[in-house]
Amino acid sequence: MKHLKVLLSATALTAVSASAALADKWDMPMAYAATNYHSENGAEFAKCVTEKSGGLEIVTHPGGSLFGGADIKRAVQTGQANIGERLISAHANENPLYGVDSIPFVATSFEDSEKLWKAAGDKIQAALAEENLVYVYAVPWPPQGIYAKKEINSAADLAGVKFRAYNTATARIAELASMVPVQIEAAELSQALATGVAEAFISSGSTGYDRKVWEQLTHFYDVQAWLPRNVVFVNKDAWDGLDAKAQGAIADCGAEAAARGLSKAKELTDFYVKGLAENGMTVAAPSDQLKSDLKAFGETMTKEWLESAGEAGQAIVDAYKAM
Ligand code: PCA
């Protein structure tokens, strides 16, 4: 009798642990503000997976609260987090292909940015796979412009300015314009501007709006230089550990998130730029001189990127141009 009791409780224990193993919870670090459309889109994606996967719950952690932007990719590669979102061009120093979306004036509209991403898709996915990452989806930022606290009519007006960079392309522009680059995550941008660590930067209306940069800066030049992307990826070992239903849910919810994020980005672009103006900033198109100075930087940087990205880079640009 005693024997039977022990056996029964052992069976009960096994049943409990088996059902617990089926349910899994993944933390998803994200670098940008909770109210930003990328983060809201990521939360929708997480909800979709939680509903459709049959046991996998994804919980987003926006604003760099779990891992700061600079640490998210490594955290997912090493399995400290199983899924995460990162501005992929910030890793162009590791693989130039990750910088394909940030070459000035190669793709400057949503339409062209989609084409370029399509042309780059397989190669980006392969590069991520080599780093133990499975690509899920990507969403563009609105076109990039210049923020400053004085009138900027040419590259010469930028010389000596302390410039916040977010990837190698923005750091290179700082160098070409004789600015002083400092690498800062968007989550720390307001503080960097308030303390004078940075006094100008390139980004979308979205990040200027999120970080209320009108409190320190006065001008936004709508240069429309490129549209960088946030990419969501999963740790490959964690992916391999999922059943087909959960993998399918991530793929389907990811495809939906890519489409939803793109249309949000398009829809909000004007809203953000208007918001900058409504809060007192001077919003203007770049002067002809500034435009031609930046175009010249763009030509130099396109050449440099093609040199560093080699045949794979050339193949992407050729495919894009043929579209
Ligand atoms: N916002 C992000 C990247 C590009 C953008 O528009 C940032 O400034 O960090």
Side-chain angles (χ1 to χ4, degrees), residues 207-278:
T207 292
Y209 182 90
D210 286 347
R211 308 278 44 132
K212 296 186 170 57
V213 301
W214 48 82
E215 288 174 1
Q216 289 89 25
L217 305 182
T218 51
H219 290 73
F220 177 68
Y221 294 97
D222 199 1
V223 180
Q224 308 191 353
W226 67 85
L227 292 81
R229 276 173 194 258
N230 283 356
V231 173
V232 171
F233 37 65
V234 168
N235 174 283
K236 176 86 167 54
D237 307 313
W239 173 265
D240 290 342
L242 294 175
D243 61 17
K245 185 173 182 191
Q247 288 182 347
I250 291 180
D252 293 349
C253 298
E256 279 173 27
R260 187 176 54 232
L262 172 63
S263 71
K264 267 284 162 201
K266 286 182 183 170
E267 176 191 320
L268 288 168
T269 295
D270 288 346
F271 164 86
Y272 288 134
V273 174
K274 260 194 211 141
L276 300 176
E278 276 165 17

Side-chain angles (χ1 to χ4, degrees), residues 6 10 32 88 91 109 119 148 163 183 197 210 249 260 272 303:
V6 170
Y32 295 93
I88 198 66
H91 296 278
S109 65
F163 183 80
Q183 192 87 18
V197 170
D210 286 347
R260 187 176 54 232
Y272 288 134
K303 203 171 136 259

Side-chain angles (χ1 to χ4, degrees), residues 32 87 141-142 144 164 166 184-186 189 201-207 228 230:
Y32 295 93
L87 178 74
W141 288 93
Q144 306 290 292
R164 176 259 176 168
Y166 63 64
I184 294 163
E185 287 297 315
L189 183 55
F201 64 100
I202 288 181
S203 192
S204 59
S206 178
T207 292
N230 283 356

